[in-house]
Amino acid sequence: MIISLSLFTLLLTLTSLASLIRRDEWWIRIFDFPRLQLSILIILAIIISLLLLNFSEIGHFLILLVLFGNLIFQGWRIYPYTIFAPITVKKFRGPATDNAISILVSNVLTPNRKVYLLLKQIRKYQPDLVLTLESDQWWQEKLSALSESYPYRINVPLDNLYGMHLFSKLSLEEQHVNYLIKPDIPSIEALIKLRSGKLIKIYCLHPEPPSPTENDASTERDAEILLTGKKMNAQNFPGLVFGDLNDVAWSKTTTLFQKTSHLMDPRKGRGFYSTYNAKYPFLRWPLDHIFHSSEFQLVQIKRLSNIGSDHFPLFTKLQLSDNDQEGMQATKKEKERADDKIAKVDSNQQL
């Protein structure tokens, strides 16, 4: 039992150390994702240690010490997204106004055919914007049922798992489909006119994940996320960035994105809102995101029910409001690190 516990402790330690390595290979970056799951395993190992070890030897104490060290490290990374952390985005307390906007983000899973479940959610929550990801020509045809309620649309049907469709009740003043990093991975950029007449900037993303089946490194994903952050920071409009970033909220890249873009995450202090994997409860983490500039306050955020995809839809409602919120700020070194990551790839679109 001591040998098994020691080997398990070593394995947990290696996963923690691997996530500290500043390398982009998928088999290293994959350890950014399951920090909650690893924390649960560590807690179980600590309980087993307390029950079975008699601590008559120094090695028994070392096992427990290393386990606690691992738990502190993993907990430190996910702590901002627990209910124990301070809430950074204020709750909007007043009545909804014409400066409110609601968004539903849904990675539909291309071969999924339960479109009626997504339409049911859309009719129930009536979001101003609907962003679908992995939506191909079949999904475009089936979602044409939204045409009357959503007169403004940007259609990018693709059969490579990176199609996207944006449906809007609000006027699109400007719209662009960008291919920032790769010629077959689109993103959407647009100006949205709120009911009050105020303009906000939006970016919709779905970069490639680091995985052995799609991209063997996170380099291009990181560059697209950070490049969008720089574009957002250069805007003179309040703004939103949302989509399936194929990165967890607590990763170094997403944290660096928030610092360089000055955007805020309404989940902080409220919970994980894990949207993936809808099929395996123990293997869930937050992959679908919405970030916003400091002018917004939160009205509602909710993970919706399963639509047959491997992702849950995410619904968020925000209110444009005068307030004294402030996003994270990047240091000079962090800005240089972001620039270095972007410089690793040849972007097809200049800032």
Side-chain angles (χ1 to χ4, degrees):
M1 176 59 69
I2 301 302
I3 294 175
S4 299
L5 192 56
S6 298
L7 291 174
F8 188 56
T9 301
L10 176 61
L11 179 62
L12 291 171
T13 303
L14 290 175
T15 62
S16 296
L17 293 175
S19 67
L20 289 172
I21 300 173
R22 288 187 178 177
R23 300 279 299 181
D24 291 348
E25 287 83 356
W26 73 267
W27 55 272
I28 293 176
R29 293 280 59 85
I30 199 69
F31 294 111
D32 291 336
F33 291 74
R35 295 197 186 277
L36 175 60
Q37 290 78 6
L38 290 171
S39 297
I40 293 172
L41 292 176
I42 294 167
I43 291 171
L44 290 175
I46 289 173
I47 293 172
I48 292 171
S49 299
L50 291 173
L51 291 175
L52 298 182
L53 299 182
N54 58 23
F55 302 106
S56 59
E57 299 179 15
I58 188 66
H60 295 189
F61 285 101
L62 287 176
I63 289 174
L64 196 60
L65 182 63
V66 171
L67 286 171
F68 271 111
N70 276 277
L71 182 60
I72 292 170
F73 171 72
Q74 299 290 359
W76 169 68
R77 297 298 302 176
I78 63 176
Y79 168 73
Y81 292 90
T82 67
I83 59 174
F84 307 106
I87 290 175
T88 58
V89 176
K90 293 180 179 179
K91 179 77 172 178
F92 183 73
R93 301 295 181 184
T97 72
D98 287 343
N99 279 327
I101 184 170
S102 55
I103 306 101
L104 189 152
V105 178
S106 181
N107 183 319
V108 298
L109 185 65
T110 300
N112 175 27
R113 292 297 179 256
K114 296 181 179 179
V115 64
Y116 63 93
L117 292 178
L118 176 59
L119 291 172
K120 181 180 178 181
Q121 298 286 2
I122 293 171
R123 292 184 181 115
K124 179 179 179 179
Y125 289 93
Q126 291 294 313
D128 297 314
L129 304 178
V130 176
L131 174 67
T132 62
L133 306 163
E134 288 199 30
S135 41
D136 58 4
Q137 186 64 41
W138 184 91
W139 275 90
Q140 179 172 307
E141 293 172 2
K142 297 302 179 182
L143 292 173
S144 63
L146 298 173
S147 297
E148 185 175 344
S149 300
Y150 294 84
Y152 307 97
R153 296 177 297 279
I154 301 176
N155 299 324
V156 194
L158 296 173
D159 58 6
N160 63 352
L161 304 181
Y162 291 96
M164 57 173 58
H165 291 75
L166 180 67
F167 302 86
S168 177
K169 293 181 178 181
L170 305 173
S171 173
L172 299 176
E173 297 298 298
E174 296 179 12
Q175 52 185 281
H176 305 279
V177 176
N178 301 323
Y179 296 85
L180 295 174
I181 304 298
K182 299 183 75 171
D184 57 349
I185 307 293
S187 61
I188 291 173
E189 173 184 352
L191 271 178
I192 301 282
K193 180 182 281 188
L194 299 180
R195 293 176 180 85
S196 65
K198 292 185 177 180
L199 295 175
I200 65 170
K201 190 76 172 182
I202 67 164
Y203 293 91
C204 309
L205 298 181
H206 186 205
E208 277 188 305
S211 78
T213 58
E214 297 191 60
N215 197 325
D216 59 6
S218 68
T219 307
E220 292 171 341
R221 178 204 67 183
D222 297 347
E224 183 169 349
I225 293 171
L226 295 170
L227 183 59
T228 302
K230 288 192 68 175
K231 288 167 70 71
M232 188 73 256
N233 190 36
Q235 295 295 325
N236 294 320
F237 300 98
L240 308 171
V241 175
F242 51 95
D244 173 6
L245 271 59
N246 275 315
D247 195 20
V248 283
W250 48 73
S251 78
K252 290 180 179 178
T253 297
T254 301
T255 302
L256 186 59
F257 160 79
Q258 291 180 67
K259 289 182 176 181
T260 54
S261 66
H262 301 158
L263 297 183
M264 306 184 73
D265 189 337
R267 294 167 297 186
K268 286 186 174 179
R270 292 187 168 96
F272 298 111
Y273 295 91
S274 298
T275 54
Y276 178 91
N277 190 303
K279 299 180 179 180
Y280 303 104
F282 187 68
L283 297 177
R284 285 182 184 167
W285 35 75
L287 284 193
D288 299 274
H289 310 262
I290 176 165
F291 301 99
H292 58 81
S293 55
S294 60
E295 295 92 342
F296 290 94
Q297 291 183 336
L298 179 68
V299 178
Q300 183 184 13
I301 183 167
K302 185 176 183 180
R303 188 187 74 184
L304 306 185
S305 58
N306 199 334
I307 62 162
S309 172
D310 52 353
H311 287 244
F312 293 102
L314 182 69
F315 174 81
T316 311
K317 186 172 184 178
L318 301 165
Q319 172 75 34
L320 195 62
S321 175
D322 295 330
N323 58 77
D324 57 357
Q325 296 178 142
E326 185 175 354
M328 294 189 292
Q329 303 293 317
T331 64
K332 181 180 179 181
K333 187 175 182 179
E334 288 170 331
K335 292 178 182 177
E336 292 173 351
R337 189 182 307 156
D339 289 338
D340 289 342
K341 279 185 169 286
I342 294 171
K344 286 183 179 180
V345 299
D346 294 324
S347 63
N348 296 323
Q349 182 165 322
Q350 300 297 319
L351 290 176

